[in-house]
Amino acid sequence: YARADNLKNYLADVETRLGSLSQRLSASVGQARFNTDLAGDPAANQSTVDVSERIVKTPWMEIDDVFFEARGSAWALLHILRAIEADFGSVLENKNARVSLKQVIRELEATQQTVWSPMILNGSGFGIFANHSLVMASYISRAHAAISDLRALLVQG
């Protein structure tokens, strides 16, 4: 059971990291967000005047950095998960979770497709230019959801 607990804890960390990467990739488009820093504490007060809504957008010169960081993280995680499939095979079989792990691996493999453009493009919304960051965010978001399902299987199974 210690092996299963170690795997569940590691996957929780992976889930957090994938969620963060997905958010950073999605920020390439720009999004209006409300300030939720004080949410949940009715006695909290802002010490300085701050706008309640702001536009969150990745600066143009950092878009490729975020994209390739996510791609590299997905590449490394892909290989770690393949090793987990071999090393934790008995745990995965006992929980009937091997197929869920394979789905995560499939989503991460999609992040490694060839980028045919000479630069990372981030068109806006449904514009005429590709948005590589949103495509990568989609794959990573699906891997994030699959990791969540895998963790649930390991807890329940």
Side-chain angles (χ1 to χ4, degrees):
Y1 293 109
R3 287 176 54 100
D5 287 339
N6 290 341
L7 182 56
K8 286 184 276 188
N9 292 338
Y10 176 73
L11 292 176
D13 292 340
V14 167
E15 187 176 0
T16 301
R17 176 76 173 139
L18 288 176
S20 174
L21 285 171
S22 179
Q23 287 292 318
R24 289 181 60 213
L25 286 163
S26 296
S28 68
V29 173
Q31 181 181 37
R33 291 194 185 163
F34 289 103
N35 183 355
T36 59
D37 294 344
L38 301 178
D41 186 356
N45 289 319
Q46 189 81 27
S47 63
T48 58
V49 177
D50 193 16
V51 294
S52 63
E53 187 176 2
R54 62 175 53 135
I55 302 294
V56 177
K57 185 171 182 169
T58 305
W60 185 80
M61 294 296 288
E62 295 176 19
I63 289 173
D64 61 339
D65 295 343
V66 173
F67 177 88
F68 285 110
E69 176 190 347
R71 185 176 170 106
S73 294
W75 179 87
L77 182 58
L78 173 63
H79 291 287
I80 290 169
L81 292 178
R82 286 178 179 159
I84 284 173
E85 184 178 16
D87 292 348
F88 288 86
S90 61
V91 172
L92 295 169
E93 290 299 326
N94 288 341
K95 303 286 186 170
N96 201 21
R98 188 177 294 272
V99 173
S100 294
L101 180 63
K102 286 185 177 291
Q103 185 61 40
V104 176
I105 290 171
R106 176 174 286 163
E107 296 300 341
L108 293 173
E109 285 173 341
T111 67
Q112 302 305 304
Q113 295 177 32
T114 302
V115 177
W116 293 104
S117 173
M119 62 187 284
I120 300 304
L121 299 173
N122 279 345
S124 59
F126 293 110
I128 61 171
F129 292 106
N131 194 318
H132 295 111
S133 293
L134 285 184
V135 171
M136 181 69 74
S138 174
Y139 290 132
I140 288 180
S141 181
R142 291 196 312 239
H144 176 266
I147 286 278
S148 181
D149 293 344
L150 176 59
R151 283 187 55 231
L153 275 177
L154 291 173
V155 169
Q156 297 168 2

